[in-house]
Amino acid sequence: MKVFCGRANPTTGSVEWLEEDEHYDYHQEIARSSYADMLHDKDRNMKYYQGIRAAVSRVKDRGEKALVLDIGTGTGLLSMMAATAGADFCFAIEVFKPMADAAVKIVEKNGFSDKIKVINKHSTEVTVGPDGDLPCRANILITELFDTELIGEGALPSYEHAHRHLMQENCEAVPHKATVYAQLVESRKMWSWNKLFPIHVETSHGKQVIVPPVELERCPGAPSVYDIQLNQVLPTDFTVLSDVLPMFSVDFSKQVSSSTTCHSRQFEPLTSGQAQVVLSWWDIEMDPEGKIKCTMAPFWAHSDPEELQWRDHWMQCVYFLPQEEPVTPGSSLCLTAHHDDYCIWYSLQRTSPQKNIRATVVRPVCDCQAHILWNRPRFGEINDQDRTDQYIQALRTVLKPGSTCLCVSDGSLLAVLAHHLGAKQVFTIESSAASHRLMAKIFRANHLEDKINIIEKRAELLTLADLEGKKISLLLGEPFFTTSLLPWHNLYFWYVRTALVELLEPGATVMPLAASLHMMVVEFRDLWRIRSPCVNCEGFDVHIMDDMIKQALDFRESKEAEPHPLWEYPCRSLSDPHRILIFDFCQPVPKQSICARGSIELRRPGRSHGAVLWMEYNLTPSSTVSTGLLKPLEDQGDCCWNPHCKQAVYFFSPTLDSTVLPGSSRTISYSVEFHPDTGNVTMDFSLLGTPELGANSGL
């Protein structure tokens, strides 16, 4: 059956109706899930296997049959481990039907159909009894319901229900226990992901400062976790203010509660500083003795950093305190971890021998709109003074006396910069009421409410009346749009410029004046694992999973390049960067496609995992802003990526994903095409002189 799905095209701005197969979303989700990453996580798999074997042995030693309930079985791997360990029977619960179907095939292929029953239900819908899904309650509970925050996938409600309705008393659980840890730090870098800093502007009349509104300064921020690869944050980017504090533990072998609660730990600061950020992670113990442990600790808190396991399905957490607090050694402080059934958040209180302050468990909520409209990288981008200075220098060269400016970006401060640098009249477009309110607060805080006109409208629908009858002499854009995912989605600026051609003065200036798409072939240190099919995992054949991923990748949308923040995922360049497409914003969007064909020589030894693509914007002929590579390549090809933007990664097929040996070279040919009617970019890759092996990817 075919279904029609409506979606806004992030590049052209138009609403499109697409015909999709009814299973499209399922295949998309599977293709882009973390299953491959989890199956490559040898530490996780080994520890689970050891814990399961120990649990089965304990039950057998009591003279009982080992009846396993595996909630969220996924590929069925943990149930197969239990069957191999001697479990009498396993009930494998998987709510996602395509994944449950795959688990059935994997279980059959490995010869466990007589010991494993896959049940396609949510665990809270599973019944026990003669006519139920389970004939009786199980005595071993195996789960992998955890996310980076531990409880964000609903682990607590699932455990709570399982113990009440599906498990025997005194059952075994794998994992047995989880412990959440926290460390208080000061970090201007990370704090810049949460608060708006003052921005300095040098003008002919002296220094101006763009200050944040009081509402933004007082706002507790978004309570949601920011999960990142914390090992990629440099030690020089933060100051440790506390020891690593064990905040709370959950014993999964006993009744679990999902009720809102809090856990406090008293400590003394290690040094003076501003308490701003809580770094957090967890570990799981697979056995009651705590001998089999799997930890998410970053390198500085790891017992053996040399044995650090890279993983992307579980990372580390960054939480922001509602307000920064000065701390000094010798003072007594209390860090409190609050959680409900799905979320964790933190608060800091001062304590004294006479008074122990019990923190409230009310979850903080953003009331300034900024934390709802801007994500964490966008906060960091706006706070980047070097980037702002680059725009200031470019604006100085294009602003003329009497300029009428129109800023086309989402939540941009370019309009403020243009005003301070001498523009006669400034208009800025905010397409949503919420964004309009936020920018109005910022303008009022800087006494600019009468200087900058906010137009709440889709940019392409603008009329001369909206501009008070004035034509535009300077069209500005960062460009940044909240609907953009891939680098070229911000070409929406070009479509707006084309739609507004009748509103531009003859000879009007457009900034940026052009953009270019760049590409480079890379070897990833670890990121390749998330798309690498897994053939054998801890002795079990999961080749069916490989086939499933390949089937999913046959779907059009799954062949897209994917957005990834590459500052978190180190890689080496095997080729020089290539500029492959140029977009001239001084001209309207063309009717014909823009194509580029060529080849890239792999100059460094390594394994060619894929191509990274990014945009560079020419603000002026002499000023360029990159959304990707920030510095020239190191001798070994190590890359420095823009931390405020996601780059596009096109993972090569296994045929192209091959090793270049020292002293040898290979060449990969490419064909890249920009389609103006859709704003899509399609690309093909192949080894030079061989049939095309890439896929025409509707990006």
Side-chain angles (χ1 to χ4, degrees):
M1 182 180 75
K2 298 289 184 179
V3 294
F4 287 91
C5 301
R7 69 176 183 185
N9 185 306
T11 311
T12 66
S14 62
V15 176
E16 301 171 342
W17 289 93
L18 303 177
E19 186 181 49
E20 302 289 4
D21 184 274
E22 63 177 329
H23 296 303
Y24 160 73
D25 285 340
Y26 292 155
H27 288 86
Q28 174 85 329
E29 186 168 341
I30 293 169
R32 294 187 171 181
S33 68
S34 296
Y35 285 113
D37 176 30
M38 288 188 286
L39 295 175
H40 274 287
D41 190 341
K42 293 182 180 180
D43 179 65
R44 162 194 178 270
N45 298 335
M46 178 183 67
K47 301 292 177 56
Y48 260 101
Y49 199 12
Q50 292 172 351
I52 289 169
R53 289 172 57 187
V56 171
S57 294
R58 289 194 296 273
V59 170
K60 293 282 190 178
D61 289 345
R62 296 198 295 262
E64 303 173 16
K65 284 188 175 182
L67 301 178
V68 172
L69 181 67
D70 175 9
I71 299 179
T73 194
T75 61
L77 177 63
L78 300 185
S79 285
M80 291 190 294
M81 289 181 178
T84 301
D88 293 277
F89 203 81
C90 303
F91 301 93
I93 314 300
E94 177 55 54
V95 67
F96 185 40
K97 189 176 188 308
M99 198 67 248
D101 293 342
V104 170
K105 294 177 182 178
I106 295 170
V107 166
E108 289 176 353
K109 186 178 182 68
N110 285 273
F112 290 111
S113 296
D114 60 334
K115 282 202 166 186
I116 299 174
K117 177 185 178 183
V118 178
I119 301 171
N120 179 210
K121 284 185 176 182
H122 194 282
S123 64
T124 57
E125 299 173 343
V126 171
T127 57
V128 177
D131 299 321
D133 301 301
L134 279 64
C136 62
R137 291 183 177 230
N139 54 13
I140 300 177
L141 177 58
I142 300 173
T143 64
E144 210 281 55
L145 300 172
F146 314 117
D147 66 349
T148 294
E149 201 174 17
L150 183 70
I151 65 173
E153 291 184 0
L156 295 182
S158 296
Y159 272 110
E160 187 173 39
H161 177 272
H163 278 292
R164 286 179 178 171
H165 302 285
L166 306 176
M167 302 304 301
Q168 299 176 20
E169 289 188 25
N170 302 316
C171 67
E172 302 288 341
V174 182
H176 178 79
K177 185 174 77 169
T179 302
V180 173
Y181 299 88
Q183 190 167 34
L184 188 67
V185 304
E186 174 184 358
S187 173
R188 180 175 175 82
K189 178 186 180 73
M190 288 185 268
W191 196 239
S192 76
W193 300 338
N194 182 58
K195 295 289 185 179
L196 183 60
F197 295 168
I199 297 168
H200 301 276
V201 185
E202 291 284 354
T203 73
S204 58
H205 305 294
K207 181 178 289 187
Q208 300 285 340
V209 181
I210 305 172
V211 298
V214 173
E215 295 95 324
L216 267 71
E217 291 187 315
R218 292 177 178 171
C219 180
S224 57
V225 63
Y226 188 21
D227 52 337
I228 65 171
Q229 293 284 355
L230 199 54
N231 288 308
Q232 298 309 312
V233 176
L234 298 176
T236 53
D237 283 332
F238 62 94
T239 300
V240 171
L241 300 179
S242 79
D243 291 321
V244 175
L245 305 172
M247 297 306 301
F248 66 92
S249 296
V250 183
D251 185 339
F252 297 125
S253 68
K254 298 178 181 178
Q255 182 61 56
V256 172
S257 172
S258 61
S259 300
T260 301
T261 188
C262 62
H263 310 268
S264 298
R265 292 291 178 267
Q266 195 165 332
F267 71 99
E268 291 189 6
L270 300 176
T271 187
S272 296
Q274 292 289 327
Q276 299 167 327
V277 176
V278 176
L279 309 180
S280 183
W281 58 89
W282 48 265
D283 63 32
I284 45 178
E285 297 174 7
M286 299 297 183
D287 61 321
E289 294 78 24
K291 296 179 180 179
I292 309 169
K293 183 180 290 187
C294 185
T295 181
M296 308 306 121
F299 67 88
W300 68 86
H302 202 285
S303 58
D304 188 358
E306 295 299 320
E307 295 297 320
L308 199 68
Q309 170 72 48
W310 183 88
R311 43 176 71 94
D312 203 48
H313 58 105
W314 295 330
M315 293 186 281
Q316 293 82 36
C317 302
V318 174
Y319 297 93
F320 303 98
L321 293 177
Q323 298 296 330
E324 62 182 349
E325 293 280 347
V327 300
T328 55
S331 59
S332 181
L333 298 176
C334 188
L335 184 65
T336 301
H338 315 260
H339 74 80
D340 53 22
D341 48 352
Y342 283 88
C343 300
I344 298 174
W345 63 97
Y346 285 87
S347 63
L348 183 67
Q349 297 84 34
R350 300 187 181 277
T351 63
S352 65
Q354 294 79 26
K355 188 175 182 181
N356 184 18
I357 300 173
R358 184 68 170 173
T360 176
V361 294
V362 176
R363 190 178 180 206
V365 176
C366 169
D367 54 18
C368 75
Q369 299 294 312
H371 301 90
I372 298 171
L373 294 169
W374 298 341
N375 60 21
R376 273 62 182 258
R378 180 57 173 167
F379 266 99
E381 188 171 52
I382 293 173
N383 285 323
D384 188 336
Q385 186 68 50
D386 290 339
R387 178 180 180 274
T388 298
D389 290 343
Q390 213 171 344
Y391 275 93
I392 290 172
Q393 293 300 324
L395 274 169
R396 285 198 179 107
T397 67
V398 298
L399 271 173
K400 300 175 183 177
S403 290
T404 298
C405 301
L406 175 66
C407 178
V408 180
S409 290
D410 287 343
S412 175
L413 297 181
L414 275 184
V416 181
L417 300 183
H419 168 77
H420 283 318
L421 293 171
K424 181 180 180 181
Q425 190 157 14
V426 182
F427 298 90
T428 187
I429 291 179
E430 297 297 340
S431 57
S432 74
S435 186
H436 184 158
R437 288 193 296 271
L438 171 61
M439 299 311 295
K441 290 177 185 177
I442 295 174
F443 296 162
R444 280 197 302 272
N446 291 275
H447 310 293
L448 299 175
E449 61 268 34
D450 298 327
K451 309 293 185 181
I452 301 174
N453 298 300
I454 305 175
I455 303 171
E456 187 183 321
K457 201 171 191 178
R458 292 283 301 178
E460 60 270 29
L461 302 178
L462 209 64
T463 65
L464 198 59
D466 296 316
L467 300 172
E468 301 175 1
K470 299 179 179 65
K471 288 204 170 184
I472 303 161
S473 58
L474 177 57
L475 181 65
L476 298 173
E478 296 193 39
F480 170 86
F481 303 100
T482 55
T483 55
S484 299
L485 296 175
L486 292 161
W488 44 86
H489 287 167
N490 285 322
L491 287 174
Y492 173 60
F493 176 80
W494 198 13
Y495 287 83
V496 171
R497 176 257 181 269
T498 302
L500 299 180
V501 65
E502 296 297 328
L503 302 183
L504 300 178
E505 286 184 354
T509 301
V510 178
M511 192 189 97
L513 56 87
S516 50
L517 181 64
H518 295 247
M519 180 174 68
M520 192 166 65
V521 177
V522 303
E523 174 187 51
F524 286 107
R525 183 192 300 173
D526 297 296
L527 187 63
W528 60 271
R529 303 172 193 273
I530 70 172
R531 294 293 170 265
S532 177
C534 212
V535 175
N536 189 278
C537 180
E538 291 300 306
F540 299 102
D541 187 354
V542 291
H543 191 71
I544 291 290
M545 191 64 199
D546 180 8
D547 294 340
M548 190 175 187
I549 293 174
K550 288 179 179 177
Q551 179 187 10
L553 292 175
D554 286 338
F555 278 69
R556 173 180 55 79
E557 292 285 341
S558 297
K559 298 170 189 171
E560 294 183 350
E562 305 171 12
H564 290 283
L566 292 187
W567 75 269
E568 295 184 54
Y569 303 101
C571 62
R572 293 175 53 249
S573 170
L574 303 187
S575 74
D576 292 334
H578 283 244
R579 186 178 66 181
I580 52 177
L581 292 178
I582 299 175
F583 311 98
D584 185 358
F585 296 163
C586 295
Q587 301 297 324
V589 176
K591 301 294 184 184
Q592 303 301 317
S593 296
I594 304 175
C595 308
R597 292 179 176 82
S599 60
I600 297 180
E601 182 181 354
L602 306 186
R603 297 180 177 273
R604 297 179 183 85
R607 187 175 168 189
S608 52
H609 291 130
V612 176
L613 300 97
W614 68 94
M615 298 288 288
E616 294 188 2
Y617 293 96
N618 302 107
L619 305 182
T620 67
S622 60
S623 177
T624 300
V625 172
S626 173
T627 67
L629 207 60
L630 291 184
K631 298 178 182 177
L633 294 171
E634 304 285 344
D635 291 341
Q636 298 301 314
D638 294 334
C639 305
C640 176
W641 299 103
N642 188 324
H644 313 310
C645 304
K646 289 184 179 181
Q647 294 74 38
V649 179
Y650 188 99
F651 291 99
F652 289 157
S653 66
T655 313
L656 287 174
D657 176 3
S658 55
T659 301
V660 181
L661 300 175
S664 65
S665 64
R666 301 187 71 184
T667 302
I668 291 178
S669 65
Y670 64 84
S671 174
V672 180
E673 186 170 357
F674 171 71
H675 303 272
D677 55 336
T678 62
N680 290 345
V681 173
T682 56
M683 60 190 73
D684 289 304
F685 295 94
S686 65
L687 291 172
L688 199 61
T690 67
E692 293 201 351
L693 301 170
N696 191 317
S697 57
L699 300 182

